[in-house]
């Protein structure tokens, strides 16, 4: 995003940002990327979605199907929407996602009391 956006451009980006953050899977992805800087395999993000939604695996056969469905959703819906909002960068060769440099300027976890993702202010500093 350009730092010299017009007020109308800012309004449109805010709409895009809130629309992007409306789905819980995209918020889970962003929370994970804030805590794990650097490239993250899309498969790890699918596993994280299932852990957040279903809890630790119980060994049932349906657990693998949930990760597969999450993986499909990430590739075809959620990662492209996050890329369109310029919050992440996707490397198709490595099948990995990283938080974008632009996302660093969006208050995901910092400049507001709990950020847009509901993370405490210090979560980036405590990520290790």
């Amino acid at each position: 995003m350009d730092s010299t956006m017009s007020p109308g451009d800012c309004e449109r980006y805010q709409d895009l940002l809130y629309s992007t953050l409306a789905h819980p899977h995209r918020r889970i992805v962003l929370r994970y990327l804030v805590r794990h800087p650097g490239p993250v395999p899309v498969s790890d993000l699918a596993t994280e979605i299932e852990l957040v939604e279903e809890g630790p695996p119980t060994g049932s056969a349906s657990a693998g199907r949930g990760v597969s469905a999450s993986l499909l959703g990430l590739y075809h819906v959620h990662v492209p929407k996050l890329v369109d909002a310029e919050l992440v960068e996707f490397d198709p060769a490595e099948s990995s996602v990283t938080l974008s440099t632009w996302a660093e300027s969006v208050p995901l976890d910092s400049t507001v009391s709990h950020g847009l993702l509901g993370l405490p202010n210090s979560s980036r500093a405590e990520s290790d």
Side-chain angles (χ1 to χ4, degrees), residues 109-122:
D109 70 335
S110 55
T111 59
V112 292
S113 64
H114 286 286
L116 293 172
L117 298 176
L119 298 171
N121 292 349
S122 60

Side-chain angles (χ1 to χ4, degrees), residues 1-68:
M1 287 271 115
D2 184 1
S3 62
T4 60
M5 291 192 304
S6 71
D9 290 339
C10 287
E11 186 77 22
R12 281 187 287 284
Y13 183 73
Q14 281 182 324
D15 290 344
L16 174 63
L17 182 62
Y18 288 125
S19 171
T20 301
L21 295 177
H23 197 283
H25 289 185
R26 293 190 285 273
R27 293 191 305 268
I28 291 167
V29 166
L30 290 171
R31 283 187 199 109
Y32 191 86
L33 293 173
V34 166
R35 291 189 321 263
H36 299 89
V40 173
V42 176
S43 60
D44 288 3
L45 299 173
T47 301
E48 178 70 6
I49 288 169
E50 289 308 304
L51 285 173
V52 169
E53 291 190 337
E54 307 295 330
T58 60
S60 70
S62 65
R65 280 181 269 165
V67 171
S68 295

Side-chain angles (χ1 to χ4, degrees), residues 67-77:
V67 171
S68 295
S70 294
L71 196 57
L72 190 64
L74 283 167
Y75 276 114
H76 293 284
V77 179

Side-chain angles (χ1 to χ4, degrees), residues 28 53 55 57 66 90 94 96-97 99 104-105 109 114 122 127:
I28 291 167
E53 291 190 337
F90 176 64
E94 296 294 322
S96 66
V97 178
L99 205 58
E104 296 291 327
S105 66
D109 70 335
H114 286 286
S122 60
S127 64

